[in-house]
């Protein structure tokens, strides 16, 4: 079946990484089986089905990232989206130890890490890949991606309206 790389690299991008560092990161990338082998028995459980669908979707997203080039703002948006996905995924998929889904959530996290590693490599402004401070021009404040996700989630709990667009400067 198809196999996608899952990153061991954490959320920092990889844009400013040296060739040696990228080689080391590639050595520790855990291979995630996207499509099960035709002879494998699939469990028909919520966790198994949802994790399978998300593995396929994230693998397709990884391929899209590999063929894209990112601006500094595009990379920053990817980082916020990745943090949001890492927050929301455990609500739908969990690691079920002792079953075939023992690493279901962990594999998805690894694929998100790999997506961010590839996005960092494909960002033409390598300095932004190591910068977690985003400046909001309208409010004259500095935010981190984690704070943006937290504010979005708090806003969703308070009302059903979505978060206002935040304008970032370079």
């Amino acid at each position: 079946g198809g196999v996608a790389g899952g990153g061991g690299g954490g959320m920092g991008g990889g844009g400013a990484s040296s060739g040696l560092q990228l080689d080391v990161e590639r050595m520790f990338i855990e291979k995630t089986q996207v499509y099960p082998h035709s002879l494998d028995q699939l469990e028909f459980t919520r966790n198994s089905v949802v994790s399978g669908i998300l593995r396929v979707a994230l693998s397709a997203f990884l391929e899209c990232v590999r063929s894209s080039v990112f601006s500094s703002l595009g990379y920053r948006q990817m980082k916020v989206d990745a943090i949001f996905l890492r927050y929301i995924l455990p609500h739908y998929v969990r690691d079920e130890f002792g079953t075939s889904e023992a690493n279901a959530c962990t594999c998805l996290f690894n694929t998100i890490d790999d997506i961010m590693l590839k996005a960092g490599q494909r960002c033409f402004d390598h300095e932004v890949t190591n910068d977690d401070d985003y400046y909001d021009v309208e409010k004259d404040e500095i935010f981190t991606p984690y704070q943006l996700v937290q504010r979005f989630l708090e806003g969703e709990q308070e009302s059903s309206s979505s978060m206002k667009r935040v304008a970032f400067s370079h």
Side-chain angles (χ1 to χ4, degrees):
V3 176
M11 294 309 297
S17 300
S18 68
L20 179 61
Q21 184 178 354
L22 290 175
D23 289 340
V24 170
E25 287 178 3
R26 285 185 191 116
M27 285 182 358
F28 290 102
I29 288 177
E30 178 184 332
K31 296 296 179 187
T32 302
Q33 186 172 355
V34 177
Y35 303 104
H37 190 273
S38 60
L39 300 177
D40 288 344
Q41 189 81 19
L42 284 179
E43 294 181 35
F44 191 65
T45 63
R46 175 184 174 269
N47 200 58
S48 179
V49 171
V50 172
S51 68
I53 291 168
L54 289 172
R55 273 195 311 266
V56 171
L58 289 174
S59 295
F61 189 41
L62 177 62
E63 290 305 314
C64 183
V65 167
R66 285 183 176 151
S67 65
S68 301
V69 177
F70 294 91
S71 67
S72 59
L73 296 178
Y75 178 79
R76 287 177 173 177
Q77 183 62 54
M78 287 285 295
K79 189 177 262 189
V80 171
D81 293 345
I83 291 168
F84 179 76
L85 281 173
R86 289 180 71 89
Y87 172 80
I88 203 78
L89 282 179
H91 295 280
Y92 297 97
V93 177
R94 65 180 190 272
D95 291 340
E96 294 180 346
F97 300 105
T99 70
S100 63
E101 294 297 311
N103 295 322
C105 195
T106 303
C107 286
L108 294 173
F109 283 173
N110 289 342
T111 305
I112 292 169
D113 291 344
D114 198 26
I115 288 169
M116 287 311 301
L117 178 67
K118 298 297 182 211
Q121 293 169 355
R122 305 290 299 162
C123 180
F124 59 79
D125 183 5
H126 294 299
E127 283 137 24
V128 76
T129 60
N130 295 322
D131 184 15
D132 275 348
D133 292 334
Y134 300 175
Y135 179 67
D136 182 351
V137 178
E138 295 170 5
K139 294 183 180 180
D140 193 32
E141 291 182 64
I142 294 178
F143 295 102
T144 66
Y146 294 98
Q147 289 171 324
L148 291 172
V149 170
Q150 183 180 13
R151 285 185 180 196
F152 175 78
L153 293 171
E154 288 170 356
E156 287 293 310
Q157 291 172 356
E158 292 171 8
S159 68
S160 61
S161 65
S162 61
M163 184 173 147
K164 292 181 182 175
R165 185 176 175 274
V166 177
F168 297 115
S169 72
H170 299 287

